[in-house]
Amino acid sequence: MPTVSLHTLGCKLNHAETSAMARQFIERGYDVVEFGARADVTVINTCTVTGRADRECRQLIRRSLRASSDSFVLVTGCYAQLEPEQVASIEGVGAVLGSREKFSIFDHLNPDNRSGGPQVHVSDISKGDDFGVAYSSDENGRTRAFLKVQDGCDYNCSFCTIPLARGGSRSQPIDACVRQAEMLVSQGYKEIVLTGVNVGDYGRKDSENLLKLLMRLESVAGIERLRISSIEPNLLTDAIIDLVADSKVLCNHFHIPLQSGDDRILRSMRRRYDTRAYAGRIARVRDRIPNCGIGVDVIVGFPGETEEHFSNTVSFVDNLPVSYLHIFTYSERPNTPAAQYDQPVRPERRFARSRALRMLGRKKRNAFHQSRMGAVRPVLLEGEVRDGLRFGFTEEYIRVGVPAEGTEENTIVNTMISGADDEACRGRIVTPEVAG
Ligand code: SF4
């Protein structure tokens, strides 16, 4: 039986799409083996959100060829879409497929045909509105599934290359999302995470919207948890917050990109809100869902970001009642407006700002965890067991470890939070399993 190994760089959407590619190989009789093992075909699904992601792609190709020198290496994803020639020139690459072609791999290439250099099939993403169906489990087994409901983006944030790599915003119809959710529930998944590039924009072009989608998915029989991966602040409506607040299925967790806490920088980034509007959204969430987990993305070192702008970001974020931060160090992306902006921030300053905000992020996470001490929360246990503890997540997205003995993956247990630090909480199970 031929073998294939697959590896993903980047976001959960990419992970879901790698699973869709794996299914194509399985249908053709391939056996999926771990990345790093000997394989007839190696698939690398790339990301291009930062310059580092491009470098990782090169490293992975070399690593896969070390493990399996005769493997046919297929590179796809955002980096492959934007820089096909660059990718094809990397020694060892057998084929390059674009963002659309990865959903119909065998229509475009034959891994047995290795003559004549790399096969390159990359079409113009701006011309298509097709939707590649995708869903996946996370690495920790059959607990959380990532369901792709939306792809592409019509916003034009000045730093972002994703619309170039993935095209305009488009969505999967509600009925199709519901059918896939039903199938995932029947396979035993307890949590479904709705993923996309700009999930809050779901359905806009089809007279549907995220609120309607959430209401339909909430009533899928047997669904235990539904999570929104991320939502732009300008698209997080009162109605969505109210629905989450009153729902037994929708997780009390929002991930809301901020990017900067300075209004001049936000304008230069072409974001669609200012700090006042952002703070208003957070206040509304806290008002309706006091213990909600709230995650925030911030970019540091954007062109023109002075010490004053940066310190505005630090104090704005410090005063926000949020739970954790994801910090990104700005890197120039080809063909984006920001890459041409004056006053680039020196690399060492970017890294210093990143370190400072990461410390603030640890402080925020620790404070959120400490505030939950003594609370009893359902935890969906995953496969990870370390130092005698099995880990899982609450609906607020707090990582909690409980004594592993007698526990099982993919069960939901009521857990009293009894310890906390800036990484995770510890707890003890206080009632029999409520599900599983
Ligand atoms: S909203 Fe902005 S940052 Fe997010 S994918 Fe769209 S263009 Fe990129």
Side-chain angles (χ1 to χ4, degrees):
M1 188 183 259
T3 51
V4 60
S5 78
L6 304 100
H7 191 86
T8 315
L9 292 164
C11 61
K12 294 300 182 193
L13 183 56
N14 250 11
H15 281 267
E17 292 180 345
T18 301
S19 293
M21 286 189 275
R23 282 189 285 276
Q24 294 177 57
F25 280 95
I26 291 166
E27 280 162 16
R28 290 272 169 155
Y30 279 75
D31 200 16
V32 178
V33 298
E34 266 188 46
F35 190 77
R38 211 226 128 253
D40 297 303
V41 179
T42 301
V43 177
I44 300 174
N45 192 9
T46 60
C47 169
T48 190
V49 77
T50 61
R52 204 172 83 179
D54 298 355
R55 281 196 297 282
E56 270 183 65
C57 172
R58 289 188 154 72
Q59 286 163 2
L60 279 165
I61 291 166
R62 281 197 291 274
R63 210 179 108 198
S64 61
L65 287 170
R66 270 201 304 276
S68 191
S69 58
D70 58 345
S71 194
F72 180 85
V73 177
L74 189 170
V75 183
T76 185
C78 294
Y79 178 39
Q81 174 70 34
L82 291 184
E83 303 289 353
E85 281 100 32
Q86 221 179 78
V87 175
S89 71
I90 303 171
E91 205 183 327
V93 169
V96 184
L97 287 188
S99 296
R100 295 167 78 190
E101 289 74 17
K102 65 179 163 183
F103 295 100
S104 50
I105 294 170
F106 292 95
D107 290 351
H108 300 287
L109 55 87
N110 174 5
D112 293 331
N113 175 10
R114 302 182 178 209
S115 57
Q119 305 171 47
V120 179
H121 301 275
V122 179
S123 61
D124 182 353
I125 193 80
S126 68
K127 296 222 162 65
D129 61 355
D130 42 337
F131 189 91
V133 172
Y135 45 84
S136 77
S137 67
D138 66 355
E139 304 85 48
N140 289 326
R142 237 157 222 226
T143 52
R144 273 186 291 162
F146 295 88
L147 173 59
K148 173 181 165 185
V149 298
Q150 188 274 343
D151 198 353
C153 186
D154 291 341
Y155 288 16
N156 58 348
C157 301
S158 60
F159 54 83
C160 183
T161 195
I162 303 302
L164 301 173
R166 285 188 168 270
S169 181
R170 55 212 188 267
S171 305
Q172 176 169 248
I174 289 182
D175 285 343
C177 296
V178 170
R179 277 196 301 278
Q180 286 159 15
E182 286 169 344
M183 189 258 301
L184 291 166
V185 169
S186 74
Q187 289 178 357
Y189 289 102
K190 294 228 178 331
E191 180 175 315
I192 295 177
V193 184
L194 304 183
T195 62
V197 173
N198 188 346
V199 174
D201 195 44
Y202 175 85
R204 178 174 51 83
K205 292 174 178 165
D206 312 303
S207 308
E208 293 182 335
N209 59 44
L210 183 61
L211 184 69
K212 289 184 196 167
L213 174 69
L214 295 174
M215 287 161 77
R216 283 284 304 282
L217 289 176
E218 210 195 355
S219 56
V220 165
I223 196 163
E224 305 226 21
R225 284 184 177 183
L226 198 52
R227 194 183 295 278
I228 304 167
S229 58
S230 172
I231 185 164
E232 289 290 307
N234 52 302
L235 298 172
L236 179 56
T237 61
D238 287 355
I240 291 175
I241 296 170
D242 290 345
L243 184 74
V244 171
D246 297 332
S247 173
K248 288 196 165 55
V249 171
L250 281 157
C251 290
N252 288 340
H253 171 221
F254 290 109
H255 192 95
I256 314 171
L258 166 67
Q259 312 306 17
S260 174
D262 181 277
D263 285 329
R264 279 162 296 181
I265 297 295
L266 283 177
R267 277 197 299 279
S268 174
M269 288 177 163
R270 301 190 189 159
R271 301 291 287 167
R272 300 192 177 197
Y273 51 85
D274 58 15
T275 49
R276 190 154 166 263
Y278 189 94
R281 291 296 77 200
I282 301 294
R284 172 80 189 192
V285 171
R286 277 273 165 258
D287 182 45
R288 289 292 281 114
I289 316 169
N291 295 314
C292 191
I294 304 177
V296 180
D297 291 337
V298 185
I299 296 173
V300 295
F302 188 76
E305 185 188 69
T306 61
E307 286 302 326
E308 186 195 345
H309 298 142
F310 178 65
S311 97
N312 286 343
T313 293
V314 172
S315 59
F316 181 72
V317 172
D318 200 13
N319 288 317
L320 280 178
V322 297
S323 320
Y324 64 91
L325 309 178
H326 282 175
I327 310 302
F328 298 86
T329 305
Y330 174 78
S331 69
E332 286 78 1
R333 302 280 69 214
N335 301 316
T336 58
Q340 313 300 326
Y341 286 178
D342 293 338
Q343 300 175 290
V345 178
R346 288 208 312 272
E348 61 274 20
R349 195 156 285 174
R350 298 183 200 185
F351 295 126
R353 289 177 186 173
S354 172
R355 278 195 300 277
L357 264 192
R358 276 175 217 278
M359 275 179 61
L360 178 56
R362 282 201 289 278
K363 186 181 109 179
K364 288 270 175 204
R365 197 187 285 266
N366 190 40
F368 182 57
H369 287 173
Q370 297 294 342
S371 76
R372 305 307 291 137
M373 289 284 282
V376 175
R377 304 301 301 144
V379 174
L380 172 54
L381 295 176
E382 299 188 342
E384 182 192 0
V385 175
R386 199 156 43 84
D387 299 332
L389 296 177
R390 182 182 291 281
F391 286 86
F393 284 88
T394 67
E395 60 169 304
E396 299 86 359
Y397 210 58
I398 299 173
R399 189 163 164 265
V400 182
V402 299
E405 202 179 324
T407 60
E408 271 183 48
E409 180 182 357
N410 205 24
T411 54
I412 297 179
V413 292
N414 268 346
T415 303
M416 178 177 284
I417 309 291
S418 55
D421 58 31
D422 60 12
E423 285 182 6
C425 288
R426 289 166 301 287
R428 59 187 172 84
I429 300 171
V430 289
T431 62
E433 291 168 8
V434 292

